[in-house]
Amino acid sequence: MKKLKRKRKKFSKLDIAVSIIMTFLVVVIIIPFWNAIVISFSTNEAYINNRFSLWPSEFTLGNYVAILSRGKGLLTAYGNTIWVSFIGTLGGMVVMTCAAYGFSRRFPGRRVLFMISIFSMYFGGGVVPTYLNLKNLNLLNTFTGVIMLTLVSVSHIILLMKGFEAVPKELEEAAMIDGANDLDIFRIVMIPLNKPTLATITLFTFVSLWNDWYWPMLTLTDNNKLLLQVYVRNIIKAADSMTTGLAASDSAINMSFSMGIQMATILVVIVPVMCIYPFVQKHFVKGMYVGSVKM
Amino acid sequence: MKKIGKATGKAAEKKQNTLLMEIWKAKYIYLLLIPFVIWLIMFSYVPMAGVVLAFKEFNAIDGMFGSPWVGLKHFERIFSTPAAVKSIITTITLSFQRILFEFPAPIILAIITTEMRGKKIKKVFQTVLTFPHFLSWITVSAILVSIFSEAGALNSVLTALGLDTIPFLSDGPLFKAMLFITHNWKEMGWASIIYMATISTIDPGLYEAAEIDGASRLKQIWHVTIPALLPLISMRLIMKVGGVMNAGFSQIFNMRNAVVADSVQILDAYIYDITFRSIPNYGFSTAVGLFKSIINFMLLMLANQLVGKMTGEKMWSFEKRNKKKGVK
């Protein structure tokens, strides 16, 4: 992909306008996060007195201490989410990579199977049948059930398949002459040559599991099986109902879900993504390129 | 006569043999596909078969496939339930408003980003702009609510400036506007990448030629960049229209509050509410879901046909794939 180069000598009016707009947008993206960080490091009194400040006026680690010491809820949810994301990504990658390689080869029935798979992308049973299906399989309230629903994505299989199809046929033929069968080609040729695409899909799968909330919310009902997103949602909802409901008078409870606590919890959830993202961004972007330009 | 019969019989036998041979040759391929096929059956096609519930009166004893049939009763009920009809209308209205207010944003952003100078700072900016896409609506809406709520950051700034507070999240129309704004905040950067990819494939010679002709940069954008983006824009627009029955459930579900819930009660939210917040009628819920899926599917097929007619290449087509590969 050639980058277009246009030589410009000095900053024109357009350049200034562009810089201003871009800077404005970036600031608009950052402010909510920064505000959340500031609130999480402020005492509740300071927050109530001044709901927007660029620096915590009364710096405290109290909110973080509170969320970590308040029972094992958050830590359990964290552990659960890490477990679910890792196992789900691993399982998903194995299933998807194998299937993608399969679809990249020719075999009797390929077209029909491919059609059936694509159809499943655009037509689903809906919420109730999915729920009852999990129930029938005894997968309600299990991590397996949640993992299974997010594990495989046909569009990711298609992305991987395109990667495999792009490998020059000569390499395969050379391997075949050396007596390699389909499995060997998959292992020796295809996987090493498609590492970047595999990395991209791994990241996509991991993030979608990390952010998964709908089915975890509906099916994981045990307190010790909560996932992070659902845990965050519960805290926010509890705080909401407390500010609007009767419990608002009980300042002790109110304090325990203060804005500082809420923001600290959210930051604990998004900081891993925030720290890793700048380093893996190019993989994500590449995945998007592959998916869009070739489609 | 006999001879011919024999000959075709032989040919058929031969054909069958080669088919078996091909299947045998591809045995490892089938082996690799087995896990996926099992998953597809268990978690996609069994639930899909579960849509029969839409024509049944569900009871727990007989289960998904054993319950008695009731014909189109549930579908008739959809159209005689005001809340259901209203949510259908809300879904479609909101979707079109989303197209109006959310669809152009990434295109404009892509054009602006490409015009920006300074490679390194551009990378940094892009990282920031695409980041929110990777957070869930649960966390994003909590952060944004802390900004826009009645007692939030923005209103406290307004108060400090001596202005009236604005009920961003507790006024129907204003809340809708906030949906569009926050959606753009979260997704605009990420969605712009696909347009930037297309812009980067434009032949630089076109810009040079335009420059020699004396076209200003704005004119270059108008006459070179935008025409080059048009096919992609129209394709994505059509696909958006095809997805009109989805109106952004995750965002609405996490951002809504009791005051505005009614004004943004889209189909997915309606299905959730009748299934998990009241005494469920699984048959009826499934019927509403199926209604949604069927409309969506038909629109998508239509959209795909349109895209195919326009660009000569469909988003997906089943006939061409194999042939293309053969040529390769």
Side-chain angles (χ1 to χ4, degrees), chain B residues 61-276:
Chain B
I61 303 152
D62 294 324
M64 194 148 65
F65 297 108
S67 298
W69 297 92
V70 292
L72 292 174
K73 189 184 124 189
H74 296 309
F75 287 93
E76 280 158 18
R77 209 184 125 193
I78 295 178
F79 295 103
S80 57
T81 310
V85 175
K86 199 180 159 225
S87 74
I88 293 171
I89 296 168
T90 310
T91 309
I92 295 170
T93 327
L94 192 65
S95 283
F96 278 104
Q97 287 167 335
R98 275 189 191 277
I99 291 175
L100 194 61
F101 295 114
E102 291 171 5
F103 185 76
I107 304 170
I108 298 167
L109 180 65
I111 293 172
I112 296 177
T113 316
T114 351
E115 288 300 318
M116 199 183 153
R117 293 169 73 166
K119 230 178 168 184
K120 271 189 185 152
I121 189 84
K122 199 150 112 181
K123 271 249 161 74
V124 175
F125 277 23
Q126 220 190 335
T127 308
V128 175
L129 289 168
T130 50
F131 172 68
H133 169 78
F134 293 94
L135 303 176
S136 70
W137 269 112
I138 290 186
T139 45
V140 166
S141 64
I143 290 175
L144 293 175
V145 165
S146 81
I147 301 277
F148 292 113
S149 70
E150 215 93 346
L154 191 51
N155 270 326
S156 82
V157 171
L158 288 178
T159 320
L161 293 172
L163 298 165
D164 287 338
T165 58
I166 300 170
F168 293 107
L169 303 176
S170 47
D171 172 73
L174 209 50
F175 179 74
K176 265 194 179 180
M178 292 315 294
L179 284 184
F180 308 139
I181 292 173
T182 54
H183 188 275
N184 280 335
W185 183 87
K186 185 175 185 287
E187 300 294 343
M188 178 172 70
W190 181 248
S192 73
I193 286 178
I194 183 172
Y195 294 104
M196 289 180 59
T198 310
I199 294 177
S200 72
T201 58
I202 300 174
D203 177 11
L206 287 176
Y207 288 103
E208 278 157 26
E211 213 165 346
I212 291 164
D213 288 347
S216 68
R217 270 165 75 199
L218 276 178
K219 279 233 165 101
Q220 289 176 29
I221 292 174
W222 186 250
H223 292 292
V224 181
T225 313
I226 291 181
L229 282 178
L230 268 184
L232 178 66
I233 292 175
S234 38
M235 190 177 90
R236 300 208 31 115
L237 189 62
I238 292 171
M239 296 319 288
K240 269 270 171 349
V241 176
V244 105
M245 297 303 270
N246 307 316
F249 173 71
S250 297
Q251 181 192 21
I252 289 173
F253 185 74
N254 286 301
M255 281 191 75
R256 69 177 178 181
N257 52 55
V259 188
V260 293
D262 215 38
S263 67
V264 290
Q265 184 74 333
I266 56 168
L267 264 175
D268 286 320
Y270 177 69
I271 294 171
Y272 173 86
D273 286 348
I274 59 170
T275 315
F276 298 104

Side-chain angles (χ1 to χ4, degrees), chain A residues 2 6 8 10 15 28 51 104 108 110 116 120 123 129 133 148 165 211 229 233 266 277 289 292, chain B residues 30 32 39 42 44-45 47-48 117 130 134 136 142 151 185 194 197 200 217 220 254 297 322 325 328:
Chain A
K2 256 194 221 164
R6 279 180 278 163
R8 296 165 208 144
K10 55 172 190 186
D15 283 320
V28 165
R51 286 171 191 272
S104 76
R110 177 187 180 277
I116 291 172
S120 76
F123 194 85
N133 182 43
M148 281 302 175
E165 281 177 349
N211 285 337
Q229 303 292 339
R233 190 180 146 79
I266 288 169
Y277 183 66
Y289 275 134
S292 59
Chain B
Y30 291 112
L32 288 170
W39 176 86
M42 276 176 66
S44 191
Y45 273 83
M48 217 185 281
R117 293 169 73 166
T130 50
F134 293 94
S136 70
W185 183 87
I194 183 172
S200 72
R217 270 165 75 199
Q220 289 176 29
N254 286 301
F297 187 71
N322 283 328
K325 269 192 66 193
K328 224 176 176 185

Side-chain angles (χ1 to χ4, degrees), chain A residues 2 9 13 18 31 87 110-111 122 142 189 209-210 216 239 248 256 266:
Chain A
K2 256 194 221 164
K9 277 152 209 150
K13 270 182 200 157
V18 163
I31 280 183
I87 297 294
R110 177 187 180 277
R111 215 182 66 137
Y122 296 102
T142 63
V189 180
L209 280 157
W210 186 268
S256 69
I266 288 169

Side-chain angles (χ1 to χ4, degrees), chain B residues 32-46:
Chain B
L32 288 170
L33 279 161
I34 283 175
F36 169 66
V37 171
I38 292 175
W39 176 86
L40 193 68
I41 293 169
M42 276 176 66
F43 293 97
S44 191
Y45 273 83
V46 172

Side-chain angles (χ1 to χ4, degrees), chain A residues 128-140, chain B residues 42-43 46-47 50 53 58-66 282:
Chain A
V128 175
T130 307
Y131 185 83
L132 293 177
N133 182 43
L134 284 184
K135 199 174 175 184
N136 289 343
L137 295 169
N138 273 326
L139 290 176
L140 282 186
Chain B
M42 276 176 66
F43 293 97
V46 172
L53 259 186
F58 179 80
N59 63 62
I61 303 152
D62 294 324
M64 194 148 65
F65 297 108
Y282 283 155

